[in-house]
Amino acid sequence: MLELAPTRGVLAALALLLCDLAAGSKVDIIVGEVGGNVTLPCRNVSLGTDKVDWFKIGNDHPVLSVSWPRWNVRFEWGNQSSLQIKELRLEDEGNYTCVLANKVLDSANPQPQIQLLLTFGPRNTTVSLSPSRILPNGTFYAPMNSIIQFACATNSYPDPSMAWVFSQLGSPPETFASANNTFLNFTLLQIPPSYQGNYSCFVRNWLSLKTQKLTVEFLVYAPPKSPPKCWAETSQAGFLVDLYCAWNGGYPHPVFQWRDGEKVLGQSESSTAGLGSMDQFAVTVNRSHLQSGKQFECRGFHILQQEPQTCTIRTTVPTLEPHPMEVCVSGGNVTLVCLTTSTNPPANFTWLKNLNQPRLEIQPNEKYEITQNATSSLLTIHNCSHDIDEGYYVCRAENPLGIRELDVWLAVHGHRNIVGIVTALVILFIFAIGSITILILYCNPEFCQKVHSR
């Protein structure tokens, strides 16, 4: 429990009591609540004596007297000549004494006194965080790096002890400000996310020992720094498409909404405070609702931004880049390439072989190595053989919108064929050099002039 220092009112009352004791007079202290009732006993005369007058020190006339008419209905006689005061007011605070009826107070011979101290509160305590906004559940929030003033006000007498205390789960409480007053504020500059937590205003009336505590939760929010991202994936069923939308890096989580034109396909869940529960959201679309070139939009809503942030995806049938022929040297390796220029969602690739027999799907093994990603598939054939490997290979790219196939012819040549090709290329190269030389000599001006002079 937070310990609050004594207030000025209590210190003043204690100082007055010490002064009275030093002066040789006896002072009893009685505390009364404003609006309540109190009874002041008369100890100056013998018990059972009813004929006494009650004085408030500083007044010339008694507040209650046997010889004076009752001028204040709130003051009444009590048992054993006591004074009863009803519906206490602040002006009733002071020192009282009782004397025998019709006896004049003698300042030179002071009578024992009763000091009546009045108190009320703390009550009607309020807190405010400015500037800030409030969620439906009563939680305060503000953007990161804001300047926030925390203020606490209460109604209490005498001035209570006040303190602002900050607490987080797993950390000890930290006092940010304290004072003896009915109003206490402090300011946080460029507030970081680490300062979100519970802020409590503690108020304690040291005269009545009554306390009041008001706690508010304060959150520090920040929007994502980058726009949302969209992508599509084929579901495990193969005929459904999952549309994903992610918007990371903000606090709290955004709320997502997938739309097909004006139609809402789905919206992420939100808490009672109107905030999303995750940084990513997906909806599933049936193949019957898909067509190539159709556009879907994801809208991301963050509590700190007035307008939603969007991203879009367009679903397309796979489009394959032509690559009709590959050549492999017998005994060597060759890689067949299947590349998509556009597909959304990404295609699922399979390689088939067509050698005068039903198509067989090629499975990775020591002979065949398949490497693929979202946009391409590579089939590497090891130890090429003319009899086994030459022929058509089919790359099939499939997504829920359709199937596309690419035929690749693989020619496998022996080493002698390669030597012949190289020899032919050398002969062609020599022939080309000779042709170019003849053409240059023929077009030389001096050579042409000699020919014409003859």
Side-chain angles (χ1 to χ4, degrees), residues 413 416-426:
H413 300 298
R416 289 176 297 177
N417 291 337
I418 294 300
V419 172
I421 292 174
V422 173
T423 302
L425 290 175
V426 172

Side-chain angles (χ1 to χ4, degrees), residues 230-232 241-243 258-265 283-298 311-318 342-345 399-402:
C230 297
W231 71 94
V241 173
D242 295 327
L243 304 179
W258 271 109
R259 300 176 67 92
D260 177 7
E262 296 299 322
K263 180 182 178 181
V264 177
L265 300 178
V283 295
T284 300
V285 182
N286 195 293
R287 178 183 288 181
S288 60
H289 295 89
L290 296 173
Q291 61 187 39
S292 186
K294 190 169 187 178
Q295 181 170 289
F296 298 91
E297 180 187 63
C298 173
C311 61
T312 60
I313 59 173
R314 189 181 301 273
T315 55
T316 58
V317 177
S342 66
T343 178
N344 205 6
N399 72 6
L401 282 83

Side-chain angles (χ1 to χ4, degrees), residues 20-42:
D20 290 335
L21 291 175
S25 63
K26 181 179 180 181
V27 178
D28 292 333
I29 297 178
I30 294 180
V31 178
E33 187 81 18
V34 172
N37 302 327
V38 71
T39 298
L40 307 183
C42 179

Side-chain angles (χ1 to χ4, degrees), residues 171-215:
S171 300
E174 179 180 359
T175 301
F176 278 7
S178 61
N180 297 322
N181 207 336
T182 56
F183 180 80
L184 178 63
N185 69 333
F186 73 96
T187 302
L188 289 180
L189 304 176
Q190 305 294 317
I191 188 165
S194 59
Y195 273 17
Q196 70 175 10
N198 291 329
Y199 288 81
S200 301
C201 178
F202 287 88
V203 185
R204 184 175 186 182
N205 187 321
W206 277 85
L207 193 55
S208 65
L209 301 182
K210 291 183 178 181
T211 61
Q212 195 169 36
K213 173 186 175 183
L214 199 59
T215 300

Side-chain angles (χ1 to χ4, degrees), residues 72-377:
N72 193 333
V73 296
R74 296 187 301 109
F75 292 79
E76 295 181 351
W77 298 105
N79 295 332
Q80 299 178 351
S81 304
S82 63
L83 172 64
Q84 291 184 344
I85 307 176
K86 299 180 179 180
E87 301 176 6
L88 285 167
R89 303 172 184 175
L90 284 178
E91 59 263 27
D92 298 330
E93 189 173 60
N95 286 14
Y96 293 81
T97 187
C98 60
V99 297
L100 292 174
N102 300 320
K103 183 178 179 180
V104 180
L105 286 178
D106 184 3
S107 57
N109 186 23
Q111 300 293 318
Q113 300 176 13
I114 296 176
Q115 184 178 17
L116 175 61
L117 299 177
L118 293 180
T119 181
F120 64 82
R123 61 194 182 194
N124 303 326
T125 302
T126 59
V127 297
S128 63
L129 281 67
S130 179
S132 65
R133 286 173 273 184
I134 305 178
L135 297 173
N137 63 358
T139 299
F140 289 83
Y141 71 93
M144 184 175 62
N145 296 325
S146 298
I147 300 176
I148 304 297
Q149 183 180 70
F150 295 73
C152 180
T154 190
N155 191 11
S156 183
Y157 180 83
D159 286 351
S161 297
M162 302 182 69
W164 270 107
V165 178
F166 169 65
S167 60
Q168 279 182 324
L169 184 64
S171 300
E174 179 180 359
T175 301
F176 278 7
S178 61
N180 297 322
N181 207 336
T182 56
F183 180 80
L184 178 63
N185 69 333
F186 73 96
T187 302
L188 289 180
L189 304 176
Q190 305 294 317
I191 188 165
S194 59
Y195 273 17
Q196 70 175 10
N198 291 329
Y199 288 81
S200 301
C201 178
F202 287 88
V203 185
R204 184 175 186 182
N205 187 321
W206 277 85
L207 193 55
S208 65
L209 301 182
K210 291 183 178 181
T211 61
Q212 195 169 36
K213 173 186 175 183
L214 199 59
T215 300
V216 294
E217 184 180 14
F218 176 68
L219 301 177
V220 181
Y221 285 172
K225 296 181 180 180
S226 58
K229 296 181 179 180
C230 297
W231 71 94
E233 293 182 4
T234 302
S235 67
Q236 294 181 352
F239 55 86
L240 301 175
V241 173
D242 295 327
L243 304 179
Y244 287 88
C245 188
W247 199 15
N248 303 318
Y251 181 78
H253 301 300
V255 173
F256 297 99
Q257 185 183 85
W258 271 109
R259 300 176 67 92
D260 177 7
E262 296 299 322
K263 180 182 178 181
V264 177
L265 300 178
Q267 181 168 309
S268 62
E269 295 182 358
S270 58
S271 68
T272 56
L275 309 175
S277 57
M278 295 183 65
D279 283 339
Q280 180 176 301
F281 177 64
V283 295
T284 300
V285 182
N286 195 293
R287 178 183 288 181
S288 60
H289 295 89
L290 296 173
Q291 61 187 39
S292 186
K294 190 169 187 178
Q295 181 170 289
F296 298 91
E297 180 187 63
C298 173
R299 296 182 179 180
F301 300 86
H302 193 272
I303 194 169
L304 292 182
Q305 295 185 340
Q306 296 181 352
E307 298 295 330
Q309 300 295 305
T310 63
C311 61
T312 60
I313 59 173
R314 189 181 301 273
T315 55
T316 58
V317 177
T319 301
L320 299 179
E321 183 177 289
H323 203 86
M325 183 176 179
E326 287 288 349
V327 178
C328 181
V329 178
S330 180
N333 302 332
V334 68
T335 297
L336 308 184
V337 178
C338 185
L339 179 66
T340 59
T341 55
S342 66
T343 178
N344 205 6
N348 179 38
F349 293 95
T350 56
W351 284 94
L352 307 173
K353 188 176 181 181
N354 188 10
L355 293 173
N356 300 321
Q357 57 184 344
R359 292 179 174 182
L360 299 176
E361 182 177 341
I362 298 175
Q363 301 296 332
N365 52 36
E366 294 181 358
K367 178 71 174 179
Y368 302 107
E369 179 183 348
I370 298 177
T371 305
Q372 59 188 26
N373 54 34
T375 59
S376 65
S377 180

